[in-house]
Amino acid sequence: MTGLRGSTRPRTERGAGTVRSDVRTDLEEVFRTHYARVVTVAARVLGSRDSAEDVAQEVFLSFGRSSVPADEAGGWLTVAATHTALNLLRSGRRRSAREEIAGDRPTVVPDVADLVVTREEHSSVRAALARLPHKQAAALVLRHSGLSYAEVAAALDMSPGSVGTTVRRAESHLLEELNRHASPR
């Protein structure tokens, strides 16, 4: 059976019947090449390597079912990781709000002061990032993940000339969100 770009999709035998396994033959190579970057991008958004690895798994499963050419995988995977992590961040924010309303918030045991301050700052940035318009948040994450303006533009279907403006607006909105929700000291 011919699959993507001439690759063959293997058939696997299970029990008495035959079960098709629609796995791209180039998935392992793409995975080995791009896994670290996908996890890094997701971890920047989420602040958790464990959560980032979960995002990477989801992204690579999606890639495995896609028809994206292997030579375009890097950009596609980076964008998919960004969107998936932002969506997870947003859903986590909604869950936290529901838990707070219900009074089910876990008790935080104080730790070393510097660690707590750093975690609070990271948490504040992530929460502010989740409140940005999706396209701005994605542009900001992608640009700060090392993608060029042209790569960000291609990934988000924007003109290259508008990437800088979108990123600057995102940075400005991010600062506004951080200031608006900053606790008085």
Side-chain angles (χ1 to χ4, degrees):
M1 168 177 271
T2 302
L4 304 170
R5 300 222 171 203
S7 64
T8 59
R9 293 181 176 171
R11 295 174 70 93
T12 56
E13 298 292 326
R14 285 226 174 115
T18 301
V19 178
R20 284 184 54 211
S21 175
D22 292 331
V23 177
R24 295 171 62 135
T25 58
D26 61 355
L27 183 58
E28 184 176 354
E29 181 182 341
V30 169
F31 177 85
R32 289 181 188 278
T33 303
H34 298 287
Y35 179 78
R37 181 176 189 121
V38 168
V39 170
T40 299
V41 167
R44 281 192 182 133
V45 174
L46 299 170
S48 163
R49 177 145 177 107
D50 289 340
S51 294
E53 288 175 348
D54 291 343
V55 165
Q57 180 178 359
E58 185 175 332
V59 167
F60 279 102
L61 285 171
S62 294
F63 177 78
R65 293 184 302 263
S66 77
S67 60
V68 175
D71 62 344
E72 296 174 14
W76 189 93
L77 291 165
T78 302
V79 171
T82 300
H83 288 300
T84 304
L86 285 170
N87 289 340
L88 185 61
L89 187 64
R90 287 186 171 109
S91 68
R93 187 185 77 204
R94 288 189 297 269
R95 184 186 68 245
S96 293
R98 287 190 307 269
E99 288 174 354
E100 188 172 312
I101 290 168
D104 293 336
R105 291 202 70 171
T107 306
V108 177
V109 178
D111 205 341
V112 179
D114 290 339
L115 179 60
V116 171
V117 170
T118 300
R119 284 187 178 170
E120 286 177 6
E121 289 170 350
H122 288 216
S123 178
S124 295
V125 170
R126 286 186 188 88
L129 185 64
R131 290 188 295 270
L132 294 181
H134 196 78
K135 194 167 212 166
Q136 284 184 5
L140 186 63
V141 169
L142 291 171
R143 182 67 182 130
H144 285 275
S145 294
L147 270 67
S148 69
Y149 278 31
E151 291 169 321
V152 172
L156 298 178
D157 196 26
M158 305 169 62
S159 70
S162 66
V163 171
T165 301
T166 302
V167 170
R168 282 190 297 282
R169 283 185 185 150
E171 290 169 341
S172 176
H173 287 134
L174 185 65
L175 287 173
E176 288 172 11
E177 286 293 322
L178 287 170
N179 289 332
R180 181 178 318 149
H181 295 280
S183 59
R185 295 192 185 240

